[in-house]
Amino acid sequence: MLDLTKLARQMQGLSQHLSLEAVASRQRLELAQQNLKKAFDCQQDLIERQEKWRDRILFANATPLEPLNSCLDIPTPPKVHSVIATDGSQIAPSHHEIAYCYLLNIGRVVLHYGQNRYPILDSLPEVFYRPEDLYASRQWGIRTEEWMSFRRTASEAIVLAELACSVHDVEASSSPPTLAMVDGSLIYWFLEQLPVDARNCILPPILEAWQQMRAAKIPLMGYVSASRNVEAVNFLRLIACPHPVPDCASYCPNQLEKVPCKVFDPLRDTALWTTQLQPGQRGPLWRSNARILDLYEDQAIYFCYVHVGTEIARIEVPAWVAEDTEMFDQALGLMLAQVQKGYGYPVAIAEAHNQAVVRGGDKTRFFALLEKQMIKAGLKNVGTSYKEARKRGSIA
């Protein structure tokens, strides 16, 4: 139980800290705005320096593909269209439950607009209990709980592609505009830390699923709310660098220290673009230079920031979407309409989450069904550990 009386004593110090941080944040933002203006005047030179010294730059940064002062209005979407989304949830494995297994539940949503058709709102559960599912990841030093989340990411992409292609086949004659959306980034940063064999179990199925949507000409989009990314702001570090060339490996090898170009840290991209964009506008298109994207082949990730009315959202798409101007603009229009329908967040993604989420009652029913099957199979001494049983009720 949380002791609020003791906690209240710490609140005064916290509020004072936040006040000081707010002042410092405003100063960083003003400095970033000044450097953004300078960078616009020499944008091409900075891009050339960035490309030339790419292998020596030790911080994540992106390349602007449009003028840095771009503020483009997002077009109105067509009334007749469809939006597809998936999201996942899970029941983690526990040695204290009646069986050591885990469950992935992928929520599926297809919403049709202006077509007088029923939506799809359901989920696909899958139970993993075989030794190769539970313990194979340990050969790479990956805990089962972590591996479960990686598998969920792949499953979300696979189910999304299957859903998109099935909708495309049904609508092949009329072919209304369709958008496939996922919650979160399309840049899977966690893959950088994985051994090659482990990575090859996760990434290729995702890329194959994206290729299926590419063949069906259904744009894929990752919607990142409350983004903490700094790739765009880090581009401005090139102009703040005091050295002759941006050779971090030679001049500033330890990026964890306070290096001279970190004048905006920890300012986020969204904070800067809040000052640049009006509702319904997007900023310049960027190409991410994350090193993991070297494995994405011809599906590198591009992104832009969009003022959706309630926040600055980071929108990510594969290269084949960004390079098709008509497809990209139409996808942005469909995305913005989703945010408006969802009162600040894409309704299709929100509904996919609602379909996927496993609540307490669902978890109880899952293990009750499992217990019934185990008893039916002739297993004895089926039950939770004493620790789990005691945690579920107090006698004090």
Side-chain angles (χ1 to χ4, degrees), residues 126-181:
E126 185 175 5
V127 182
F128 296 85
Y129 54 88
R130 295 185 175 88
E132 57 266 30
D133 295 324
L134 296 172
Y135 305 111
S137 64
R138 296 185 181 180
Q139 64 183 304
W140 303 306
I142 303 172
R143 294 184 300 110
T144 301
E145 292 79 2
E146 290 181 292
W147 188 246
M148 172 186 65
S149 66
F150 302 157
R151 292 283 297 267
R152 190 188 80 181
T153 299
S155 294
E156 290 172 2
I158 293 169
V159 171
L160 184 68
E162 293 173 349
L163 199 56
C165 291
S166 66
V167 170
H168 176 265
D169 291 341
V170 171
E171 298 176 344
S173 57
S174 55
S175 298
T178 303
L179 173 64
M181 302 185 74

Side-chain angles (χ1 to χ4, degrees), residues 143-295:
R143 294 184 300 110
T144 301
E145 292 79 2
E146 290 181 292
W147 188 246
M148 172 186 65
S149 66
F150 302 157
R151 292 283 297 267
R152 190 188 80 181
T153 299
S155 294
E156 290 172 2
I158 293 169
V159 171
L160 184 68
E162 293 173 349
L163 199 56
C165 291
S166 66
V167 170
H168 176 265
D169 291 341
V170 171
E171 298 176 344
S173 57
S174 55
S175 298
T178 303
L179 173 64
M181 302 185 74
V182 295
D183 178 25
S185 177
L186 300 179
I187 304 174
Y188 301 119
W189 306 90
F190 65 85
L191 292 173
E192 289 184 320
Q193 311 301 323
L194 299 186
V196 174
D197 290 344
R199 188 189 303 150
N200 288 340
C201 294
I202 302 299
L203 185 58
I206 294 175
L207 297 180
E208 173 59 29
W210 292 4
Q211 287 287 10
Q212 293 173 16
M213 287 182 276
R214 181 180 188 175
K217 296 184 178 181
I218 296 177
L220 167 67
M221 177 180 291
Y223 186 93
V224 188
S225 178
S227 171
R228 301 174 60 86
N229 207 288
V230 294
E231 282 185 290
V233 168
N234 276 352
F235 177 76
L236 303 182
R237 289 174 62 177
L238 296 173
I239 201 169
C241 177
H243 302 293
V245 293
D247 184 358
C248 304
S250 297
Y251 296 115
C252 309
N254 188 354
Q255 289 290 305
L256 297 178
E257 296 179 350
K258 183 63 177 178
V259 296
C261 66
K262 265 189 178 180
V263 290
F264 321 116
D265 192 55
L267 187 72
R268 302 172 188 170
D269 293 349
T270 51
L272 179 57
W273 259 266
T274 297
T275 66
Q276 307 298 308
L277 302 173
Q278 298 296 320
Q281 290 184 331
R282 74 167 176 89
L285 183 65
W286 300 75
R287 183 185 69 245
S288 175
N289 293 320
R291 300 197 186 282
I292 191 62
L293 296 182
D294 293 341
L295 303 176

Side-chain angles (χ1 to χ4, degrees), residues 78-83 111-116 176 337-338 341 347-348:
K79 293 183 178 180
V80 178
H81 62 272
S82 300
V83 180
L111 302 177
H112 302 288
Y113 297 94
Q115 302 173 64
N116 195 27
Q338 280 291 292
K341 290 180 173 67
V347 64

